[in-house]
Amino acid sequence: MKVHSSLVSRPPVLEWIAAATGLLFLLFLLGAIGLDVLQGGSRIPPDIHIGVHASVKAGERYLVTFDVRNRGGASAAALEIEGQLTDQGRVIETSSSTIDYVSGHGTAEGGLYFEHDPSSLTLKLRPLGYQAP
């Protein structure tokens, strides 16, 4: 004897929405990984660019804040940044800072302290070196 139910078992709408959302996340993740593979991924060495934000008086010293942008695919750890204040080519003062970690295509911020006012001198910042994490 067959029993017929007037209620047909269907998955709830919320279940369909959750499944579609999960599928979108999965497709996005696979696309991002595929794009990284096509672009060479972490085989591209760190390509460090430094941008100066501001120079402000901080107590008896001057603080120069900067951001570091890694345009390469590989990460850089213990990134050494050097700043020099020069006057007509003569080095007046040097300061350095270490950025703990900058991921591939990532950014970080830092600062350098100087005894002399950077606004009256020529300021040059450059990366010195890094370690592979």
Side-chain angles (χ1 to χ4, degrees), residues 30-90:
L30 291 175
I33 292 171
L35 183 62
D36 189 47
V37 168
L38 291 175
Q39 291 180 340
S42 62
R43 292 185 314 230
I44 300 170
D47 182 16
I48 305 299
H49 295 267
I50 303 169
V52 176
H53 288 289
S55 172
V56 296
K57 186 137 174 75
E60 297 294 316
R61 298 178 290 173
Y62 295 88
L63 172 64
V64 174
T65 57
F66 60 88
D67 67 63
V68 175
R69 181 171 306 277
N70 182 359
R71 295 183 183 169
S75 299
L79 175 65
E80 283 287 323
I81 305 295
E82 179 186 70
Q84 283 188 341
L85 294 177
T86 59
D87 185 19
Q88 298 177 355
R90 188 179 56 125

Side-chain angles (χ1 to χ4, degrees), residues 13-27:
V13 173
L14 188 56
E15 189 174 324
W16 282 103
I17 292 172
T21 303
L23 178 64
L24 287 175
F25 281 133
L26 178 64
L27 291 175

